[in-house]
Amino acid sequence: MRYARVSVGGRAVWGRVRETDVELLSGSPIDGDPCVLGTVRRDTAVWLPPVVPSVFYAVGLNYPRHIEHAGATVPDRPEVGYRANNALTGHRSPIVKPAEVEGRFEAEPELVAVIGRTIRHATYEEARKSVFGWTIGNDVSARTWQHQDRTFWRSKNSDTFKPMGPWIETDVDALAQTTTLRLNGEIRAAFPTGDMVFDPFDYLVEITRHITVHPGDVLWMGAESTCRIEPGDTVEVEISGIGVLSNPVQLEGNQS
Amino acid sequence: MRYARVSVGGRAVWGRVRETDVELLSGSPIDGDPCVLGTVRRDTAVWLPPVVPSVFYAVGLNYPRHIEHAGATVPDRPEVGYRANNALTGHRSPIVKPAEVEGRFEAEPELVAVIGRTIRHATYEEARKSVFGWTIGNDVSARTWQHQDRTFWRSKNSDTFKPMGPWIETDVDALAQTTTLRLNGEIRAAFPTGDMVFDPFDYLVEITRHITVHPGDVLWMGAESTCRIEPGDTVEVEISGIGVLSNPVQLEGNQS
C-alpha cells in the first residue's frame, strides 16, 4: 500500500494512493485504521512530506564508495545524526537555493525508513518489524557551508533542503532495490539501495539501546553518490519499488 | 503568566499555573486563547515538558567563561545545533543514567526561549517579539560519549537527558536574571543568565536568514558552568523570575 499526505484546502490530509486517485483518510495509517472520507485526483494532488517526524534521524557515511570518495574511514559502529523538520518539503515542491550559497550545491538520494511502532532495546527482528514503510529523501547540501560551519544547521537544514516523498510504500523489499539519481532526465548515478555498511535495522538496534524511537520517526539512510544541482534544474530520485521524488530547483527571490 | 503541560489520566493537557492550582486549558496558549476546563492541585501535578517542539535548537559555546574552560575560541557568529525530542522529560521526572556510561556525567543549566510566532528573515525587534515565554533546561551530557562519538546522538540525546520545565513564564526580563545550579540543595554554580556571547534574538536573526522558525520551537541558550551528577542526587536549576527545574538522578535498571 502507498500512503501520502496531500494538501486539501490548505490542510494536510493523509491519503491512500491508488491508480488514478488519492483516497482521503480520516487519520494516520501509522496510528490506526482510518476510514475513507473522499478522493482527489492523483494527477492534480498537492504532495506534502508524507510524515513530519518527532525525531528526524539521518545517517552520514553509510555507502562504501561514498566513504572512499569523501576520504573518510569506514565507521565501525552505526552512529546517527539529525536533520530538522523546517527543511522538509514535498514531491514537486521547489528546492530553493539561497542567494548566498556559493560553491557545490548538491543532491543526495536516500532511502528513508518510516517507523510504525514504539521501540526501545530492540532486537534486529523487532527493529525489522518496527518499520511501517519506506519513502525517498533528497539530502540537499551546500558544501561550502558544510565545511565552514561547526554544525549542519544551514548547510543541510535550510528551508526546502529536505524533499521527502512522494509517498510511503509499505510492501517492498527496500534493501533489494536500485536508487537512481536523474538531473533533467539524465541519469547521474545509480547504485544498489542495500549496499550499506550498516542497514536500517542495525541502526535501530544501536539507537534503541539508549533512545526510544516513536511511530512517525524517520531514518534517512545516506547516499552512495551525489550530483550538483542549479536553479532551473529538475532533480529526480527514484527507488525501484517505491517511486520517484521529483523537485525543481529555484534561486531564492526568483520563486514563482 | 505561567503555562505548563501536565499529565491528566495519561493525557498531556495544557495548564495555567496559579498559586495553589493548575487550571486545565482546552488547548495551547501559544496557538490561541484557550478556555479553562477544570483544575488540578499544583502540589500533586505531574509535570510534562512544557512544549514538544517541531525543531529543538540548542546553542553550544555561548558563555565566555564556559568557552575559556573548554579551551575553545569565542564564536564570531551565532551558529546553532540541535537536540532530539525523545530526550525531553518534565520537572520532577528522573534523569536515568545509562548503565554503560563511564566518566563525567554532567548537568548544564540553561535558559530556554519558547517561540510563539512564525518568523523568517526576522529583524532583532521581530525576533524579540516572537518569543512567547521562557523556561529552563538541563542539557545533561555524558562526556566520554561526547568525545568518542562523531555526533551528540547518545551523549546528549539519550532518553531523559533533556529535562525541561517546570513551566513557561511569559512575563520576565529573562536576560536580567540569575541562573543557579544546585546539587542536593548545595549551590554548585551561579551566573548572570544574560552574560552571553550572542543573545537569543541574535540567534533568531541569524537562524531565520535561511530557516523558518515556528510556534512551539525552542532555543536552548547554553550554560556557563556545569556540575557532575550521580544516581541518588537531586539536581536543581533555578532561574530567578522563572522557577526551579528539579530532577532526581537514577541508575538505569534501578528505576522505581
Side-chain angles (χ1 to χ4, degrees), chain A residues 83-111:
Chain A
R83 300 287 182 271
N85 286 339
N86 67 281
L88 287 171
T89 196
H91 175 53
R92 297 203 185 287
S93 290
I95 297 162
V96 179
K97 181 182 178 182
E100 288 175 55
V101 163
E102 295 180 352
R104 282 158 56 217
F105 186 62
E106 296 192 327
E108 297 189 2
E110 306 203 0
L111 176 68

PDB file of all heavy atoms in Angstrom, chain A residues 83-111:
ATOM      1  N   ARG A  83      18.434  15.698  11.320  1.00  0.00           N
ATOM      2  CA  ARG A  83      18.067  16.808  10.457  1.00  0.00           C
ATOM      3  C   ARG A  83      16.852  17.487  11.097  1.00  0.00           C
ATOM      4  O   ARG A  83      16.308  16.989  12.089  1.00  0.00           O
ATOM      5  CB  ARG A  83      17.719  16.332   9.038  1.00  0.00           C
ATOM      6  CG  ARG A  83      18.852  15.607   8.329  1.00  0.00           C
ATOM      7  CD  ARG A  83      19.994  16.510   7.874  1.00  0.00           C
ATOM      8  NE  ARG A  83      21.004  15.729   7.153  1.00  0.00           N
ATOM      9  CZ  ARG A  83      22.046  15.125   7.727  1.00  0.00           C
ATOM     10  NH1 ARG A  83      22.236  15.201   9.035  1.00  0.00           N
ATOM     11  NH2 ARG A  83      22.907  14.438   6.989  1.00  0.00           N
ATOM     12  N   ALA A  84      16.405  18.630  10.498  1.00  0.00           N
ATOM     13  CA  ALA A  84      15.372  19.465  11.129  1.00  0.00           C
ATOM     14  C   ALA A  84      14.124  19.573  10.260  1.00  0.00           C
ATOM     15  O   ALA A  84      14.213  19.726   9.031  1.00  0.00           O
ATOM     16  CB  ALA A  84      15.940  20.845  11.407  1.00  0.00           C
ATOM     17  N   ASN A  85      12.959  19.523  10.914  1.00  0.00           N
ATOM     18  CA  ASN A  85      11.680  19.470  10.194  1.00  0.00           C
ATOM     19  C   ASN A  85      11.398  20.686   9.317  1.00  0.00           C
ATOM     20  O   ASN A  85      10.702  20.566   8.307  1.00  0.00           O
ATOM     21  CB  ASN A  85      10.524  19.312  11.192  1.00  0.00           C
ATOM     22  CG  ASN A  85      10.440  17.911  11.765  1.00  0.00           C
ATOM     23  OD1 ASN A  85      10.975  16.965  11.165  1.00  0.00           O
ATOM     24  ND2 ASN A  85       9.795  17.771  12.909  1.00  0.00           N
ATOM     25  N   ASN A  86      11.912  21.873   9.695  1.00  0.00           N
ATOM     26  CA  ASN A  86      11.646  23.054   8.870  1.00  0.00           C
ATOM     27  C   ASN A  86      12.098  22.842   7.430  1.00  0.00           C
ATOM     28  O   ASN A  86      11.576  23.462   6.514  1.00  0.00           O
ATOM     29  CB  ASN A  86      12.368  24.282   9.424  1.00  0.00           C
ATOM     30  CG  ASN A  86      13.879  24.142   9.290  1.00  0.00           C
ATOM     31  OD1 ASN A  86      14.490  23.445  10.100  1.00  0.00           O
ATOM     32  ND2 ASN A  86      14.471  24.736   8.267  1.00  0.00           N
ATOM     33  N   ALA A  87      13.107  21.985   7.228  1.00  0.00           N
ATOM     34  CA  ALA A  87      13.696  21.799   5.901  1.00  0.00           C
ATOM     35  C   ALA A  87      12.880  20.871   5.011  1.00  0.00           C
ATOM     36  O   ALA A  87      13.102  20.821   3.798  1.00  0.00           O
ATOM     37  CB  ALA A  87      15.116  21.254   6.036  1.00  0.00           C
ATOM     38  N   LEU A  88      11.909  20.154   5.583  1.00  0.00           N
ATOM     39  CA  LEU A  88      11.120  19.203   4.798  1.00  0.00           C
ATOM     40  C   LEU A  88      10.268  19.916   3.750  1.00  0.00           C
ATOM     41  O   LEU A  88       9.709  20.984   4.004  1.00  0.00           O
ATOM     42  CB  LEU A  88      10.195  18.388   5.711  1.00  0.00           C
ATOM     43  CG  LEU A  88      10.879  17.342   6.576  1.00  0.00           C
ATOM     44  CD1 LEU A  88       9.882  16.775   7.590  1.00  0.00           C
ATOM     45  CD2 LEU A  88      11.467  16.211   5.717  1.00  0.00           C
ATOM     46  N   THR A  89      10.169  19.292   2.585  1.00  0.00           N
ATOM     47  CA  THR A  89       9.239  19.766   1.564  1.00  0.00           C
ATOM     48  C   THR A  89       8.782  18.550   0.765  1.00  0.00           C
ATOM     49  O   THR A  89       9.387  17.482   0.864  1.00  0.00           O
ATOM     50  CB  THR A  89       9.899  20.854   0.686  1.00  0.00           C
ATOM     51  OG1 THR A  89       8.883  21.547  -0.030  1.00  0.00           O
ATOM     52  CG2 THR A  89      10.912  20.277  -0.286  1.00  0.00           C
ATOM     53  N   GLY A  90       7.699  18.688   0.016  1.00  0.00           N
ATOM     54  CA  GLY A  90       7.092  17.533  -0.627  1.00  0.00           C
ATOM     55  C   GLY A  90       7.537  17.338  -2.073  1.00  0.00           C
ATOM     56  O   GLY A  90       8.273  18.151  -2.655  1.00  0.00           O
ATOM     57  N   HIS A  91       7.072  16.237  -2.633  1.00  0.00           N
ATOM     58  CA  HIS A  91       7.254  15.919  -4.056  1.00  0.00           C
ATOM     59  C   HIS A  91       6.708  17.064  -4.915  1.00  0.00           C
ATOM     60  O   HIS A  91       5.629  17.567  -4.664  1.00  0.00           O
ATOM     61  CB  HIS A  91       6.465  14.632  -4.321  1.00  0.00           C
ATOM     62  CG  HIS A  91       6.398  14.172  -5.737  1.00  0.00           C
ATOM     63  ND1 HIS A  91       7.514  13.981  -6.517  1.00  0.00           N
ATOM     64  CD2 HIS A  91       5.325  13.846  -6.514  1.00  0.00           C
ATOM     65  CE1 HIS A  91       7.135  13.544  -7.714  1.00  0.00           C
ATOM     66  NE2 HIS A  91       5.809  13.458  -7.740  1.00  0.00           N
ATOM     67  N   ARG A  92       7.484  17.465  -5.880  1.00  0.00           N
ATOM     68  CA  ARG A  92       7.162  18.516  -6.860  1.00  0.00           C
ATOM     69  C   ARG A  92       7.328  19.940  -6.316  1.00  0.00           C
ATOM     70  O   ARG A  92       7.249  20.901  -7.086  1.00  0.00           O
ATOM     71  CB  ARG A  92       5.745  18.374  -7.441  1.00  0.00           C
ATOM     72  CG  ARG A  92       5.544  17.082  -8.215  1.00  0.00           C
ATOM     73  CD  ARG A  92       4.403  17.199  -9.217  1.00  0.00           C
ATOM     74  NE  ARG A  92       4.120  15.947  -9.876  1.00  0.00           N
ATOM     75  CZ  ARG A  92       4.894  15.375 -10.807  1.00  0.00           C
ATOM     76  NH1 ARG A  92       6.010  15.973 -11.184  1.00  0.00           N
ATOM     77  NH2 ARG A  92       4.564  14.218 -11.339  1.00  0.00           N
ATOM     78  N   SER A  93       7.561  20.119  -5.010  1.00  0.00           N
ATOM     79  CA  SER A  93       7.796  21.464  -4.474  1.00  0.00           C
ATOM     80  C   SER A  93       9.238  21.871  -4.747  1.00  0.00           C
ATOM     81  O   SER A  93      10.126  21.029  -4.829  1.00  0.00           O
ATOM     82  CB  SER A  93       7.537  21.493  -2.966  1.00  0.00           C
ATOM     83  OG  SER A  93       6.157  21.359  -2.719  1.00  0.00           O
ATOM     84  N   PRO A  94       9.494  23.176  -4.883  1.00  0.00           N
ATOM     85  CA  PRO A  94      10.841  23.597  -5.253  1.00  0.00           C
ATOM     86  C   PRO A  94      11.860  23.459  -4.125  1.00  0.00           C
ATOM     87  O   PRO A  94      11.557  23.691  -2.952  1.00  0.00           O
ATOM     88  CB  PRO A  94      10.670  25.072  -5.627  1.00  0.00           C
ATOM     89  CG  PRO A  94       9.409  25.501  -4.973  1.00  0.00           C
ATOM     90  CD  PRO A  94       8.527  24.285  -4.871  1.00  0.00           C
ATOM     91  N   ILE A  95      13.061  23.097  -4.504  1.00  0.00           N
ATOM     92  CA  ILE A  95      14.251  23.268  -3.672  1.00  0.00           C
ATOM     93  C   ILE A  95      14.730  24.689  -3.945  1.00  0.00           C
ATOM     94  O   ILE A  95      15.020  25.037  -5.093  1.00  0.00           O
ATOM     95  CB  ILE A  95      15.354  22.263  -4.075  1.00  0.00           C
ATOM     96  CG1 ILE A  95      14.888  20.830  -3.832  1.00  0.00           C
ATOM     97  CG2 ILE A  95      16.663  22.576  -3.346  1.00  0.00           C
ATOM     98  CD1 ILE A  95      15.709  19.789  -4.594  1.00  0.00           C
ATOM     99  N   VAL A  96      14.776  25.525  -2.900  1.00  0.00           N
ATOM    100  CA  VAL A  96      15.167  26.923  -3.090  1.00  0.00           C
ATOM    101  C   VAL A  96      16.632  27.090  -2.690  1.00  0.00           C
ATOM    102  O   VAL A  96      16.996  26.877  -1.524  1.00  0.00           O
ATOM    103  CB  VAL A  96      14.266  27.869  -2.280  1.00  0.00           C
ATOM    104  CG1 VAL A  96      14.702  29.317  -2.466  1.00  0.00           C
ATOM    105  CG2 VAL A  96      12.807  27.683  -2.686  1.00  0.00           C
ATOM    106  N   LYS A  97      17.459  27.455  -3.655  1.00  0.00           N
ATOM    107  CA  LYS A  97      18.886  27.680  -3.375  1.00  0.00           C
ATOM    108  C   LYS A  97      19.053  29.091  -2.830  1.00  0.00           C
ATOM    109  O   LYS A  97      18.725  30.070  -3.514  1.00  0.00           O
ATOM    110  CB  LYS A  97      19.696  27.515  -4.665  1.00  0.00           C
ATOM    111  CG  LYS A  97      21.187  27.712  -4.457  1.00  0.00           C
ATOM    112  CD  LYS A  97      21.962  27.598  -5.775  1.00  0.00           C
ATOM    113  CE  LYS A  97      23.454  27.856  -5.511  1.00  0.00           C
ATOM    114  NZ  LYS A  97      24.243  27.800  -6.762  1.00  0.00           N
ATOM    115  N   PRO A  98      19.558  29.243  -1.590  1.00  0.00           N
ATOM    116  CA  PRO A  98      19.733  30.589  -1.043  1.00  0.00           C
ATOM    117  C   PRO A  98      20.681  31.414  -1.908  1.00  0.00           C
ATOM    118  O   PRO A  98      21.662  30.889  -2.448  1.00  0.00           O
ATOM    119  CB  PRO A  98      20.339  30.327   0.348  1.00  0.00           C
ATOM    120  CG  PRO A  98      19.914  28.936   0.701  1.00  0.00           C
ATOM    121  CD  PRO A  98      19.909  28.197  -0.617  1.00  0.00           C
ATOM    122  N   ALA A  99      20.353  32.701  -2.037  1.00  0.00           N
ATOM    123  CA  ALA A  99      21.156  33.589  -2.888  1.00  0.00           C
ATOM    124  C   ALA A  99      22.617  33.612  -2.446  1.00  0.00           C
ATOM    125  O   ALA A  99      23.522  33.760  -3.268  1.00  0.00           O
ATOM    126  CB  ALA A  99      20.559  34.998  -2.862  1.00  0.00           C
ATOM    127  N   GLU A 100      22.857  33.414  -1.136  1.00  0.00           N
ATOM    128  CA  GLU A 100      24.236  33.499  -0.615  1.00  0.00           C
ATOM    129  C   GLU A 100      25.072  32.255  -0.850  1.00  0.00           C
ATOM    130  O   GLU A 100      26.273  32.271  -0.581  1.00  0.00           O
ATOM    131  CB  GLU A 100      24.190  33.686   0.912  1.00  0.00           C
ATOM    132  CG  GLU A 100      23.740  35.033   1.374  1.00  0.00           C
ATOM    133  CD  GLU A 100      23.631  35.036   2.891  1.00  0.00           C
ATOM    134  OE1 GLU A 100      24.612  34.707   3.558  1.00  0.00           O
ATOM    135  OE2 GLU A 100      22.524  35.328   3.391  1.00  0.00           O
ATOM    136  N   VAL A 101      24.424  31.157  -1.266  1.00  0.00           N
ATOM    137  CA  VAL A 101      25.187  29.907  -1.402  1.00  0.00           C
ATOM    138  C   VAL A 101      26.170  29.998  -2.556  1.00  0.00           C
ATOM    139  O   VAL A 101      25.790  30.330  -3.675  1.00  0.00           O
ATOM    140  CB  VAL A 101      24.243  28.703  -1.591  1.00  0.00           C
ATOM    141  CG1 VAL A 101      24.998  27.492  -2.145  1.00  0.00           C
ATOM    142  CG2 VAL A 101      23.585  28.330  -0.272  1.00  0.00           C
ATOM    143  N   GLU A 102      27.437  29.703  -2.270  1.00  0.00           N
ATOM    144  CA  GLU A 102      28.460  29.607  -3.303  1.00  0.00           C
ATOM    145  C   GLU A 102      29.031  28.196  -3.293  1.00  0.00           C
ATOM    146  O   GLU A 102      28.891  27.478  -2.320  1.00  0.00           O
ATOM    147  CB  GLU A 102      29.575  30.618  -3.036  1.00  0.00           C
ATOM    148  CG  GLU A 102      29.061  32.048  -3.141  1.00  0.00           C
ATOM    149  CD  GLU A 102      30.146  33.082  -2.870  1.00  0.00           C
ATOM    150  OE1 GLU A 102      31.249  32.683  -2.445  1.00  0.00           O
ATOM    151  OE2 GLU A 102      29.864  34.271  -3.084  1.00  0.00           O
ATOM    152  N   GLY A 103      29.657  27.810  -4.383  1.00  0.00           N
ATOM    153  CA  GLY A 103      30.310  26.502  -4.441  1.00  0.00           C
ATOM    154  C   GLY A 103      29.311  25.394  -4.691  1.00  0.00           C
ATOM    155  O   GLY A 103      28.195  25.635  -5.170  1.00  0.00           O
ATOM    156  N   ARG A 104      29.721  24.171  -4.349  1.00  0.00           N
ATOM    157  CA  ARG A 104      28.931  22.988  -4.703  1.00  0.00           C
ATOM    158  C   ARG A 104      27.616  22.927  -3.935  1.00  0.00           C
ATOM    159  O   ARG A 104      27.594  22.957  -2.707  1.00  0.00           O
ATOM    160  CB  ARG A 104      29.759  21.728  -4.451  1.00  0.00           C
ATOM    161  CG  ARG A 104      30.789  21.466  -5.550  1.00  0.00           C
ATOM    162  CD  ARG A 104      31.921  20.581  -5.065  1.00  0.00           C
ATOM    163  NE  ARG A 104      31.413  19.331  -4.529  1.00  0.00           N
ATOM    164  CZ  ARG A 104      31.939  18.712  -3.474  1.00  0.00           C
ATOM    165  NH1 ARG A 104      32.957  19.224  -2.827  1.00  0.00           N
ATOM    166  NH2 ARG A 104      31.422  17.570  -3.057  1.00  0.00           N
ATOM    167  N   PHE A 105      26.529  22.821  -4.695  1.00  0.00           N
ATOM    168  CA  PHE A 105      25.179  22.684  -4.146  1.00  0.00           C
ATOM    169  C   PHE A 105      24.668  21.361  -4.699  1.00  0.00           C
ATOM    170  O   PHE A 105      24.553  21.205  -5.915  1.00  0.00           O
ATOM    171  CB  PHE A 105      24.331  23.873  -4.601  1.00  0.00           C
ATOM    172  CG  PHE A 105      22.962  23.936  -4.001  1.00  0.00           C
ATOM    173  CD1 PHE A 105      22.792  24.077  -2.628  1.00  0.00           C
ATOM    174  CD2 PHE A 105      21.827  23.887  -4.810  1.00  0.00           C
ATOM    175  CE1 PHE A 105      21.520  24.153  -2.070  1.00  0.00           C
ATOM    176  CE2 PHE A 105      20.559  23.964  -4.264  1.00  0.00           C
ATOM    177  CZ  PHE A 105      20.406  24.100  -2.893  1.00  0.00           C
ATOM    178  N   GLU A 106      24.421  20.375  -3.818  1.00  0.00           N
ATOM    179  CA  GLU A 106      24.287  19.002  -4.299  1.00  0.00           C
ATOM    180  C   GLU A 106      23.057  18.260  -3.779  1.00  0.00           C
ATOM    181  O   GLU A 106      22.562  18.529  -2.681  1.00  0.00           O
ATOM    182  CB  GLU A 106      25.544  18.207  -3.903  1.00  0.00           C
ATOM    183  CG  GLU A 106      26.793  18.751  -4.573  1.00  0.00           C
ATOM    184  CD  GLU A 106      27.976  17.817  -4.437  1.00  0.00           C
ATOM    185  OE1 GLU A 106      28.078  17.124  -3.395  1.00  0.00           O
ATOM    186  OE2 GLU A 106      28.796  17.776  -5.376  1.00  0.00           O
ATOM    187  N   ALA A 107      22.627  17.308  -4.590  1.00  0.00           N
ATOM    188  CA  ALA A 107      21.555  16.371  -4.225  1.00  0.00           C
ATOM    189  C   ALA A 107      22.177  15.079  -3.717  1.00  0.00           C
ATOM    190  O   ALA A 107      23.199  14.634  -4.243  1.00  0.00           O
ATOM    191  CB  ALA A 107      20.687  16.082  -5.436  1.00  0.00           C
ATOM    192  N   GLU A 108      21.566  14.485  -2.674  1.00  0.00           N
ATOM    193  CA  GLU A 108      21.987  13.170  -2.165  1.00  0.00           C
ATOM    194  C   GLU A 108      20.758  12.266  -2.084  1.00  0.00           C
ATOM    195  O   GLU A 108      19.883  12.489  -1.260  1.00  0.00           O
ATOM    196  CB  GLU A 108      22.608  13.294  -0.766  1.00  0.00           C
ATOM    197  CG  GLU A 108      23.880  14.115  -0.707  1.00  0.00           C
ATOM    198  CD  GLU A 108      24.574  14.019   0.659  1.00  0.00           C
ATOM    199  OE1 GLU A 108      24.079  13.285   1.554  1.00  0.00           O
ATOM    200  OE2 GLU A 108      25.600  14.688   0.836  1.00  0.00           O
ATOM    201  N   PRO A 109      20.685  11.249  -2.934  1.00  0.00           N
ATOM    202  CA  PRO A 109      19.489  10.379  -2.998  1.00  0.00           C
ATOM    203  C   PRO A 109      19.498   9.313  -1.899  1.00  0.00           C
ATOM    204  O   PRO A 109      20.455   8.546  -1.817  1.00  0.00           O
ATOM    205  CB  PRO A 109      19.614   9.741  -4.375  1.00  0.00           C
ATOM    206  CG  PRO A 109      21.093   9.690  -4.636  1.00  0.00           C
ATOM    207  CD  PRO A 109      21.699  10.885  -3.940  1.00  0.00           C
ATOM    208  N   GLU A 110      18.444   9.269  -1.101  1.00  0.00           N
ATOM    209  CA  GLU A 110      18.472   8.401   0.080  1.00  0.00           C
ATOM    210  C   GLU A 110      17.180   7.595   0.275  1.00  0.00           C
ATOM    211  O   GLU A 110      16.078   8.099   0.072  1.00  0.00           O
ATOM    212  CB  GLU A 110      18.704   9.253   1.340  1.00  0.00           C
ATOM    213  CG  GLU A 110      19.940  10.130   1.230  1.00  0.00           C
ATOM    214  CD  GLU A 110      20.529  10.565   2.552  1.00  0.00           C
ATOM    215  OE1 GLU A 110      19.977  10.182   3.607  1.00  0.00           O
ATOM    216  OE2 GLU A 110      21.539  11.285   2.523  1.00  0.00           O
ATOM    217  N   LEU A 111      17.365   6.375   0.728  1.00  0.00           N
ATOM    218  CA  LEU A 111      16.253   5.559   1.226  1.00  0.00           C
ATOM    219  C   LEU A 111      15.870   6.049   2.628  1.00  0.00           C
ATOM    220  O   LEU A 111      16.747   6.386   3.431  1.00  0.00           O
ATOM    221  CB  LEU A 111      16.694   4.096   1.310  1.00  0.00           C
ATOM    222  CG  LEU A 111      15.682   3.113   1.915  1.00  0.00           C
ATOM    223  CD1 LEU A 111      14.472   2.933   1.003  1.00  0.00           C
ATOM    224  CD2 LEU A 111      16.349   1.755   2.189  1.00  0.00           C
TER     225      LEU A 111
END
